[in-house]
Amino acid sequence: MASLVGLIGFPLGHTISPAFQQAAFDYYSLPVEYHAWPTHPDLLEAKVGSLRDPGSLGANVTVPHKERVAGMVDRLDASAQAIGAVNTIVRENDGLTGCNTDAYGFITSLRVTGGFEPRGKRVVLLGAGGAARAAAFALAEEGAASLVIANRTLRRASSLADDVRDVLRDIASISLDGPDIEGAVRKADLIVNSTSVGMEGGGAGSASPLPPGIIPSSALVYDMVYNPTETPLLRQAAQAGAACLGGLPMLVYQGAGAFELWTGREAPTEVMFEAAKKALERMAQPRAHS
Ligand code: ATR
């Protein structure tokens, strides 16, 4: 019988994780099925409990469950502990381990796909949610020179800055809509969007989180949003002559990290990228009536 693994989130909508994870299991002919498991918050504890079954490898976890799940597993790895969120659960014989491969996915995509070395660089991070926490810790660990966290809710940005300050001293929090954003962005080597602004189906879908005309041409603009592939922010960046990186590589590399934790095998990242791109293309096509 096939082992089971899947993605826990709510709502899940159109997720491409099953497509590229299944491609990786199939590449090695592993008898594993990867499912989408939309899980209402009231049913989260029961769902996590079901992962203790011997036929389970574990799960991926996404919005809005990443923080709560950290309190439902038996232990946390160092990354999940530092970030305070779990995106991967690994079942072992003696219990469930909560892991976080988002920071790995972020840094690997930044270096491998973006060709960008964060050491010594000035970074502006837009957003202060779960994805921002992973990016902030990763950038601090990798020796970024400074970090400005800009968020709609300033209190959340300040709280994240406080958590990271031990590792990175030159850190500030500002309001995303306030007067300080322009100066920070103009001086940045790297601008990372971790807010959901610009996301397909998101409330602020057609908007950019930044005002026009402030992105420097020397910067790399990294938008964690992967659908659409060209977001309003990336269009702005391209117009400014800046380098652009979309969110698909981070999604695939965090998934590759999870695959390696579940299987102990090297993730076939090219196969995963190929499957992820095809799944995105299928999503972009107008749906036939059924
Ligand atoms: P994730 O785990 O993907 O980071 P999250 O924890 O829900 O998801 O965080 C979403 C981020 O997008 C937050 O920084 C949020 O800002 P608030 O902390 O002020 O809520 C940001 N965000 C969502 N919608 C936004 C909008 N319309 N304008 C600006 N920021 C927005």
Side-chain angles (χ1 to χ4, degrees):
M1 214 170 69
S3 298
L4 293 184
V5 64
L7 174 63
I8 300 174
F10 193 80
L12 274 186
H14 302 287
T15 165
I16 65 171
S17 288
F20 70 77
Q21 290 288 6
Q22 193 63 55
F25 290 115
D26 294 349
Y27 173 81
Y28 283 114
S29 302
L30 295 173
V32 178
E33 287 175 16
Y34 189 106
H35 292 268
W37 287 324
T39 305
H40 187 275
D42 293 348
L43 302 175
L44 182 60
E45 195 133 25
K47 185 72 210 173
V48 173
S50 75
L51 302 177
R52 297 176 185 280
D53 187 280
S56 150
L57 292 187
N60 279 135
V61 184
T62 188
V63 177
H65 298 323
K66 288 183 182 184
E67 281 87 17
R68 265 186 77 206
V69 156
M72 295 177 183
V73 293
D74 302 304
R75 55 193 164 254
L76 297 176
D77 76 356
S79 191
Q81 182 91 50
I83 297 164
V86 164
N87 82 325
T88 302
I89 300 173
V90 180
R91 188 193 71 81
E92 283 148 322
N93 288 336
D94 58 347
L96 301 179
T97 306
C99 309
N100 194 306
T101 64
D102 282 336
Y104 164 81
F106 172 70
I107 284 295
T108 307
S109 56
L110 187 62
R111 286 210 172 102
V112 176
T113 318
F116 186 94
E117 172 51 52
R119 183 161 298 278
K121 300 298 198 314
R122 288 164 299 194
V123 186
V124 172
L125 174 60
L126 314 176
R133 293 190 74 82
F137 277 99
L139 289 163
E141 292 285 343
E142 299 299 325
S146 67
L147 181 60
V148 176
I149 304 171
N151 198 42
R152 177 177 62 179
T153 311
L154 180 58
R155 180 181 40 77
R156 246 180 137 190
S158 310
S159 159
L160 176 54
D162 289 345
D163 291 348
V164 180
R165 193 165 283 114
D166 277 352
V167 195
L168 173 54
R169 300 186 75 81
D170 190 349
I171 191 162
S173 49
I174 63 173
S175 167
L176 186 57
D177 327 302
D180 299 330
I181 187 78
E182 178 168 349
V185 166
R186 285 193 189 280
K187 283 199 293 264
D189 303 307
L190 172 66
I191 299 154
V192 180
N193 176 42
S194 75
T195 76
S196 45
V197 179
M199 198 184 281
E200 183 76 44
S206 59
S208 163
L210 287 181
I214 65 170
I215 295 174
S217 61
S218 55
L220 170 66
V221 177
Y222 184 138
D223 198 337
M224 288 188 192
V225 173
Y226 67 86
N227 187 24
T229 45
E230 198 194 48
T231 61
L233 174 65
L234 291 182
R235 263 201 301 281
Q236 243 175 23
Q239 273 160 15
C244 297
L245 183 59
L248 190 68
M250 175 168 171
L251 182 72
V252 171
Y253 281 118
Q254 65 76 33
F259 179 87
E260 292 183 358
L261 290 170
W262 294 320
T263 65
R265 298 188 191 223
E266 188 181 341
T269 47
E270 274 180 35
V271 170
M272 296 172 90
F273 266 107
E274 209 47 48
K277 283 180 192 153
K278 279 203 186 118
L280 260 185
E281 278 164 22
R282 278 199 302 274
M283 264 165 62
Q285 277 163 12
R287 241 152 306 142
H289 295 287
S290 56

